[in-house]
C-alpha cells in the first residue's frame, strides 16, 4: 500500500516510523515532512493546509490511505475533501474535529451531556466578559475559542492580568478570529494526564497514558511551549481512575458526538485533570499529541495501519490492541531562546551515535538536511526518545542519549519524567 502522512513534526515522524513496521506498506510519502522524516519517507513540498494540492497528490500518486497528524487541516475539513473524491483517510470530519476547533463548542457539549469539566461562561462581548471576570476569585482561566497554536489559554493571577488578557484576545485579536468568543472558566487543580484514544465512531479504545511538560525550563519555570518532553505511563493515572474516566468521560463523549450527528473517527485526545472530585476534561484534541505520540507509539505492539483501518471501517471492537508494559521517555532538545526567538541552521552531531542503543530513537521535529548533514530548522529540534523495562530505565537511557547529541545553543529540560505530586 502507498500511504500519505500529513504534517511535519516529531509526531508525524513517530507515526511514520511505527507504520513502517507493517509489511503491507510499500511506500510512505509525507507532506511536507522534515529533514529527519526524509530518511524514512519521501517528503513532498505541499503545505499541510493546502487541501486541494493534497487531494490532487493523493489522486495522481494512487495513494491508498492517508493519515492526518496535524489539527489545522482536520479542522479545515481535509477528511471531507478526501472522502468526496473517494479517497481513504484517517481522521475526523470537519463537523467532529470541532471538538478541538472550538473550545466553546466543546464546553457546551460537555455541559449538555454531563461530562465532568471546569464550570464556565462564554462571551462574545468584551465589556460583558470584563464585568463577569470581576465577580470571580483569581486565578482566572481565559481561553480563546479557536485554534491558537497552543497559546490561547491564559491563567491570570490578578484581575489586571485577566482584563489585559481579555483585551488582547477580544479587542486586539492577538489570535485573530479565534478570539471572537472567549471561554472563562473555573481554575482546577491536580495532576494532568493525557489519554489519547482510538475511535471508530462507536467504540473508543484508550491508549497508554502520558504526561507532558509544557514549560520551557526545569521545575516548570519559564514560558509555555509546545511541549519540552513527555513520558508514559503517567505515575498517577491508576486503574480506578482509568475506569472512572472511561465511564464518565470517554464513552459519554463518543455517544454525545453521535447524538449530535457528529460521528468521530480518528484520535480523540483527552486532556484530563485529576481533581479531588475525580477526572475532569481540560481540553479535547482531535488528533495525536506532540510530543505525547513519541512516547505512546513506541509502546504499541500491534500493527498501527490495521488499527487506523479499523477506525475508518468501524471494526475497532474486533481489533486486538496490545501495549508493552514498560515505559518511555522523550526529551525535547530545542534551540536556545525557544519559544520566543532562536537561530536556525546549526549543524547537529551525535544522532547516529545516540541511536546505536536499540532502545533509543531520535524523532525529528525541526531539522533540515544540508549537504547531507542535519541542521536545526525550528524551535523544537528533536525528541530524543527511549523505551525501557520501566519508566525510570527509560528516563536514564533517554538522558544518556541526549548527552551524545550536540548543536549550537541546544536547550533541554533535565527533569522530564520526574514530576512530583506530593
Ligand atoms: P490547553 O491549551 O487547553 O491544553 O491549556 C493549557 C494548559 O492550561 C493546560 O495544560 C493546563 O495546565 C492549563 N489549564 C487549562 N484549563 C485550566 C483550568 N480550568 N484550570 C487550571 N488549569 C487549566
Ligand atoms: N502536547 C500537547 C498537544 O499536542 O496538544
Amino acid at each position: 500500500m502507498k500511504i500519505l502522512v500529513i504534517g511535519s513534526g516529531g509526531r508525524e515522524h513517530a507515526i511514520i516510523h511505527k507504520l513502517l513496521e507493517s509489511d503491507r506498506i510499500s511506500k510512505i510519502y509525507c507532506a511536507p515532512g522534515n529533514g529527519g522524516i526524509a530518511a524514512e519517507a519521501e517528503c513532498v513540498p505541499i503545505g499541510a493546509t493546502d487541501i486541494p494540492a493534497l487531494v490532487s497528490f493523493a489522486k495522481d500518486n494512487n495513494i491508498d490511505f492517508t493519515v492526518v497528524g496535524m489539527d489545522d487541516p482536520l479542522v479545515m475539513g481535509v477528511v471531507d475533501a478526501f472522502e468526496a473524491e473517494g479517497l481513504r483517510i484517517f481522521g475526523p470530519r470537519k463537523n467532529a474535529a470541532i471538538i478541538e476547533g472550538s473550545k466553546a463548542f466543546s464546553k457546551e457539549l460537555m455541559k449538555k451531556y454531563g461530562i465532568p469539566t471546569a464550570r464556565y461562561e462564554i462571551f462574545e462581548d468584551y465589556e460583558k466578559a470584563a464585568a463577569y471576570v470581576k465577580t470571580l476569585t483569581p486565578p482566572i482561566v481565559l481561553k480563546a475559542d479557536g485554534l491558537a497554536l497552543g497559546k490561547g489559554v491564559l491563567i491570570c493571577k490578578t484581575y489586571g492580568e485577566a482584563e489585559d488578557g481579555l483585551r488582547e484576545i477580544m479587542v486586539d485579536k492577538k489570535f485573530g478570529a479565534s478570539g471572537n468568543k472567549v471561554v472563562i472558566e473555573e481554575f482546577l487543580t491536580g495532576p494532568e494526564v493525557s489519554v489519547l484514544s482510538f475511535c471508530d465512531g462507536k467504540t473508543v479504545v484508550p491508549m497508554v497514558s502520558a504526561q507532558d511538560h509544557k514549560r520551557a525550563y526545569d521545575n516548570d519555570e519559564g514560558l509555555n511551549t509546545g511541549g519540552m518532553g513527555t513520558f508514559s505511563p503517567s505515575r498517577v493515572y491508576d486503574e480506578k481512575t482509568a475506569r472512572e474516566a472511561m465511564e464518565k468521560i470517554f464513552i459519554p463523549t463518543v455517544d454525545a458526538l453521535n447524538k449530535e450527528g457528529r460521528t468521530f473517527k480518528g484520535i480523540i485526545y483527552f486532556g484530563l485533570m485529576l481533581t479531588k472530585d475525580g477526572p475532569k476534561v481540560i481540553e479535547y484534541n482531535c488528533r495525536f499529541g506532540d510530543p505525547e505520540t513519541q512516547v505512546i507509539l513506541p509502546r504499541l505492539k500491534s500493527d498501527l495501519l490495521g488499527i487506523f483501518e479499523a477506525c475508518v471501517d468501524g471494526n475497532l471492537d474486533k481489533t486486538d490492541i496490545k501495549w508493552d508494559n514498560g515505559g518511555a521517555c522523550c526529551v525535547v532538545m530545542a534551540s536556545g531562546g525557544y519559544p520566543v526567538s532562536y537561530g536556525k541552521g546549526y549543524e547537529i552531531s551525535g544522532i547516529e551515535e545516540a541511536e546505536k542503543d536499540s532502545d533509543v530513537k531520535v524523532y525529528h521535529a525541526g531539522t533540515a538536511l544540508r549537504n547531507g548533514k542535519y541542521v536545526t530548522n525550528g524551535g523544537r529540534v528533536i525528541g530524543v526518545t527511549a523505551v525501557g523495562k520501566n519508566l525510570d530505565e527509560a528516563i536514564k537511557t533517554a538522558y544518556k542519549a541526549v548527552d551524545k547529541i550536540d548543536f549550537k545553543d541546544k536547550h533541554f529540560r533535565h527533569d522530564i519524567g520526574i514530576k512530583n505530586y506530593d
Side-chain angles (χ1 to χ4, degrees):
M1 284 172 74
K2 285 206 230 170
I3 311 284
L4 171 64
V5 174
I6 300 174
S8 62
R11 163 184 50 207
E12 287 74 20
H13 194 183
I15 292 171
I16 289 167
H17 188 67
K18 191 77 203 172
L19 282 173
L20 281 170
E21 289 176 11
S22 170
D23 51 19
R24 289 189 292 139
I25 294 178
S26 54
K27 171 133 195 161
I28 303 186
Y29 296 92
C30 186
N34 65 39
I37 290 176
E40 302 190 52
E42 184 174 331
C43 294
V44 289
I46 303 175
T49 55
D50 189 349
I51 294 176
L54 292 166
V55 169
S56 300
F57 178 84
K59 281 165 75 178
D60 295 347
N61 292 278
N62 302 315
I63 299 295
D64 298 294
F65 197 85
T66 296
V67 178
V68 191
M70 266 180 85
D71 46 358
D72 302 71
L74 291 168
V75 171
M76 288 165 69
V78 69
V79 170
D80 309 60
F82 271 60
E83 286 180 349
E85 298 289 336
L87 296 162
R88 272 161 76 70
I89 182 164
F90 174 77
R93 292 182 186 151
K94 184 176 180 176
N95 73 352
I98 192 173
I99 62 164
E100 176 163 4
S102 168
K103 289 188 163 43
F105 170 87
S106 293
K107 297 297 287 189
E108 301 282 52
L109 186 84
M110 288 186 266
K111 187 192 263 182
K112 185 168 170 191
Y113 292 92
I115 297 166
T117 188
R119 284 194 306 270
Y120 71 96
E121 295 289 335
I122 296 168
F123 294 92
E124 294 182 43
D125 178 273
Y126 167 77
E127 300 297 334
K128 285 190 185 141
Y132 175 71
V133 154
K134 293 212 185 72
T135 70
L136 305 174
T137 311
I140 296 163
V141 182
L142 307 180
K143 299 187 172 181
D145 177 44
L147 295 181
L149 295 170
K151 297 188 179 118
V153 175
L154 304 179
I155 314 281
C156 307
K157 293 195 195 76
T158 62
Y159 291 116
E161 268 182 42
E163 269 171 42
D164 290 347
L166 277 180
R167 202 170 308 109
E168 281 180 5
I169 297 173
M170 301 185 86
V171 182
D172 305 342
K173 299 273 186 217
K174 190 171 166 191
F175 307 111
S178 287
N180 288 350
K181 277 188 199 169
V182 69
V183 176
I184 303 182
E185 70 177 34
E186 172 197 12
F187 180 75
L188 299 177
T189 53
E192 283 184 62
V193 182
S194 305
V195 183
L196 283 61
S197 67
F198 296 109
C199 188
D200 68 352
K202 305 181 297 256
T203 304
V204 56
V205 180
M207 305 182 210
V208 286
S209 63
Q211 276 181 246
D212 74 348
H213 298 256
K214 286 205 167 91
R215 301 283 184 156
Y217 301 114
D218 289 6
N219 299 316
D220 283 341
E221 281 169 25
L223 292 173
N224 256 323
T225 70
M228 292 300 293
T230 40
F231 59 99
S232 172
S234 151
R235 296 183 197 271
V236 290
Y237 189 71
D238 57 19
E239 269 180 38
K240 181 177 160 287
T241 312
R243 262 199 310 277
E244 192 178 348
M246 188 73 179
E247 275 163 31
K248 295 190 177 153
I249 296 173
F250 306 160
I251 294 172
T253 298
V254 174
D255 288 349
L257 285 162
N258 275 326
K259 286 192 187 119
E260 296 292 313
R262 297 173 183 272
T263 296
F264 193 105
K265 293 184 175 191
I267 305 292
I268 309 186
Y269 168 135
F270 298 93
L272 304 178
M273 195 170 272
L274 309 184
T275 73
K276 282 203 295 293
D277 304 322
K280 295 192 179 181
V281 177
I282 287 283
E283 61 165 343
Y284 290 128
N285 292 321
C286 66
R287 36 91 197 161
F288 275 112
D290 190 343
E292 287 86 343
T293 308
Q294 289 87 314
V295 289
I296 293 172
L297 289 186
R299 298 188 55 204
L300 177 65
K301 295 207 289 189
S302 309
D303 174 47
L304 184 60
L305 177 63
I307 301 172
F308 285 163
E309 289 179 310
C311 289
V312 173
D313 297 334
N315 297 327
L316 205 50
D317 56 341
K318 298 184 198 74
T319 305
D320 196 26
I321 302 179
K322 288 209 167 63
W323 300 94
D324 169 279
N325 54 21
C329 173
C330 169
V331 180
V332 170
M333 296 184 77
S335 297
Y338 171 77
V340 183
S341 64
Y342 47 84
K344 281 186 186 178
Y346 305 133
E347 197 172 311
I348 308 166
S349 66
I351 292 181
E352 238 175 80
E353 186 61 27
E355 286 187 329
K356 278 189 183 150
D357 182 335
S358 60
D359 285 337
V360 172
K361 172 73 191 167
V362 176
Y363 295 111
H364 292 237
T367 69
L369 266 176
R370 197 175 63 197
N371 306 325
K373 300 220 164 100
Y374 291 124
V375 295
T376 67
N377 193 37
R380 289 188 295 171
V381 177
I382 46 178
V384 181
T385 305
V387 291
K389 65 176 190 296
N390 57 45
L391 182 53
D392 291 327
E393 290 283 319
I395 294 168
K396 245 190 259 160
T397 309
Y399 276 106
K400 248 192 244 162
V402 165
D403 278 344
K404 295 181 184 145
I405 298 174
D406 200 21
F407 55 86
K408 185 170 179 284
D409 293 345
K410 72 179 171 188
H411 162 68
F412 60 90
R413 279 181 61 160
H414 303 80
D415 59 351
I416 302 302
I418 23 193
K419 275 195 174 176
N420 190 353
Y421 288 114
D422 296 339

